[in-house]
Amino acid sequence: MPTTEPSIPCPDVVSLDAILPEEPLLMMGAGPVPIPAAVAKANAIVINHLGATMSKVIGQVKEMARYVFQTRSKWVLGVAGPGSAAMEMAISNLAWSGTRVLSIKNGFFSARMAEMAKRCGAHVAMLDVADGAVASLADVERALARERPEIVTIVQGETSNTVWNHQLKEIAALARAAGALVVVDAVCTLSTMPLEMDAWGIDAVITGGQKGLSSIPGVSLIAFSDAAWERMKTRAQPNAHWCLDASLAENFWHNAGYHYTAPVSGVLALHEALRLVCAETLEKRFARHLKCSLALQAGVSAMGLALFAPEPCRLNSVVGISTPAGLSPADVCGHISSQHQVEISGSFGLPIVRIGQMGEQCREHNLFRTLHALGRTMVELGARVDLPAGVAALEQSLSENARGR
Ligand SMILES: Cc1ncc(COP(=O)(O)O)c(C=O)c1O
């Protein structure tokens, strides 16, 4: 008998039980966030990616996504991939060689949209805003007049430096009046704060699963306006990205046909995540996020730590905290994770740590555990903080808000 032993030997590996911590970490970073039991349960199911059951699921996902995006547009699609894949789907379907794009850049993720547009061959002009600031309406108006863009890209919440583009509605109106399509990255903000795609005149909105929606990472959502869809449908050359070609994706998401094998378990998880958003309602969800985030911010400040973003443009969905002198974000994140089983994030070289307030992170018990763990971490690493004052401020803010102040 000839030997069948493969030339590359079988690796010696351990099971996940030997890798994962015994007690799951509390995921309080900038995403992924904890998922509800219904989402986890759905994510454990595999069904046929085509057929009547999937069609019903897809129909409901689109319907619920329209509510979450606040759009009546038919053109809602899911994307097998991270938030960045949805971003690339928006950009690569709407921009091509020579397209004039104005990218409003105030951090890492808004820069990613500009980079993607450049890779599509677009002529990209950047409205570069300093870290911790947002573009003024006057700056946007000037840039629109100068660049005459066909497309404007902007992020609602710049997760990297925790800045909120609070004038998104006004900026979208200016861009639209100047004849541009508006592409908005709502990866970290969708379902955590108001975003009205139709009423604000937005032409493409993207989001990931792993943040506000509290679904799994890797299955994302996108919505195009009629005008954006028309631009994509009438382009001269097909999109170079086959998987991200919205015209091909239409087959699956609108015609119950085959494009590629959809990540069925992830779509089921997304269905349940969206269903829970609908059950809560956007209004109550926004109120929960605001209440929890403001209470966390009050606790952090009362403890003696500084919030990174200035108040008017401070993002509530992800809270940035300056690390005290002598401590690096890696020190803080490593210690809080290993000693307190709470996971928070650093941020791409900035001297901050970030605590997420998205979806399931916004629960009062999670806030107390996280703030306590942060305070203990600071004390254990030698920073001076007033932990009891922080916890008291958290409690006070939550109870004042509960009384409807
Ligand atoms: C605002 C924003 N845009 C885009 C992304 C990219 O999403 P993903 O990492 O899922 O590709 C992120 C991820 O943190 C984000 O916060």
Side-chain angles (χ1 to χ4, degrees):
M1 281 267 280
T3 173
T4 55
E5 197 177 316
S7 56
I8 296 174
C10 187
D12 190 15
V13 294
V14 295
S15 79
L16 281 181
D17 286 343
I19 298 175
L20 298 175
E22 220 163 278
E23 182 193 335
L25 301 181
L26 179 59
M27 300 296 288
M28 296 298 288
V33 310
I35 54 174
V39 172
K41 188 174 162 205
N43 192 43
I45 299 169
V46 174
I47 62 169
N48 190 345
H49 66 115
L50 299 171
T53 306
M54 198 57 180
S55 284
K56 174 95 181 147
V57 170
I58 293 297
Q60 294 209 151
V61 165
K62 288 187 296 186
E63 210 179 321
M64 294 187 288
R66 284 188 193 105
Y67 169 63
V68 178
F69 284 127
Q70 286 291 288
T71 184
R72 291 187 201 286
S73 168
K74 177 178 175 195
W75 306 116
V76 171
L77 305 105
V79 187
S84 302
M87 186 189 273
E88 200 148 35
M89 191 171 195
I91 303 284
S92 66
N93 280 286
L94 299 175
W96 47 82
S97 181
T99 300
R100 293 184 310 280
V101 174
L102 173 65
S103 273
I104 300 175
K105 188 216 136 197
N106 50 351
F108 188 79
F109 292 109
S110 34
R112 187 174 289 182
M113 284 195 281
E115 169 65 17
M116 286 177 178
K118 277 184 203 153
R119 288 180 181 215
C120 292
H123 172 79
V124 181
M126 202 91 97
L127 177 51
D128 220 328
V129 186
D131 254 334
V134 288
S136 72
L137 297 183
D139 286 346
V140 173
E141 259 184 311
R142 270 192 296 274
L144 286 167
R146 190 177 59 240
E147 308 296 341
R148 296 178 301 103
E150 297 159 271
I151 293 168
V152 171
T153 66
I154 182 168
V155 60
Q156 185 177 31
E158 182 47 85
T159 328
S160 59
N161 54 22
T162 66
V163 161
W164 169 40
N165 268 314
H166 58 100
Q167 289 179 302
L168 173 60
K169 178 181 170 185
E170 291 77 7
I171 289 173
L174 289 175
R176 181 161 261 237
L181 296 178
V182 183
V183 176
V184 174
D185 171 343
V187 170
C188 111
T189 48
L190 196 78
S191 90
T192 73
M193 63 171 62
L195 179 137
E196 305 217 8
M197 180 174 169
D198 286 1
W200 297 1
I202 298 169
D203 294 285
V205 183
I206 58 150
T207 199
Q210 76 274 23
K211 303 213 186 212
L213 298 179
S214 267
S215 186
I216 59 155
V219 180
S220 304
L221 279 171
I222 185 166
F224 291 100
S225 67
D226 283 340
W229 195 258
E230 173 72 11
R231 178 176 170 87
M232 182 277 296
K233 278 289 189 187
T234 54
R235 56 185 288 166
Q237 298 292 328
N239 188 340
H241 296 277
W242 188 90
C243 282
L244 298 178
D245 185 332
S247 216
L248 297 179
E250 183 186 356
N251 266 349
F252 179 75
W253 284 90
H254 290 277
N255 302 332
Y258 175 68
H259 175 204
Y260 51 72
T261 306
V264 283
S265 314
V267 173
L268 294 174
L270 183 61
H271 181 282
E272 286 305 274
L274 288 165
R275 187 181 59 75
L276 292 173
V277 176
C278 293
E280 182 175 13
T281 74
L282 284 177
E283 195 187 3
K284 290 201 178 119
R285 199 170 178 92
F286 297 153
R288 170 163 68 85
H289 279 79
L290 187 62
K291 173 184 168 184
C292 285
S293 186
L294 292 182
L296 174 66
Q297 292 169 39
V300 166
S301 302
M303 200 184 270
L305 295 170
L307 297 168
F308 185 67
E311 224 242 301
C313 62
R314 184 180 300 149
L315 183 60
N316 287 327
S317 322
V318 177
V319 176
I321 303 159
S322 301
T323 41
L327 288 187
S328 73
D331 293 336
V332 176
C333 295
H335 187 96
I336 194 170
S337 173
S338 63
Q339 303 303 309
H340 299 281
Q341 290 72 50
V342 174
E343 197 80 355
I344 64 173
S345 306
S347 189
F348 313 107
L350 290 173
I352 61 173
V353 292
R354 296 174 299 156
I355 298 180
Q357 282 299 279
M358 299 176 285
E360 289 306 299
Q361 295 174 322
C362 285
R363 302 288 178 197
E364 294 186 15
H365 52 279
N366 289 340
L367 293 183
F368 281 100
R369 183 167 156 201
T370 303
L371 192 69
H372 180 263
L374 181 70
R376 289 297 316 159
T377 295
M378 292 297 170
V379 171
E380 285 154 11
L381 293 177
R384 284 167 64 99
V385 294
D386 188 344
L387 175 52
V391 175
L394 172 62
E395 167 58 23
Q396 190 179 354
S397 177
L398 288 172
S399 51
E400 277 172 0
N401 218 311
R403 289 200 299 270
R405 201 185 71 142

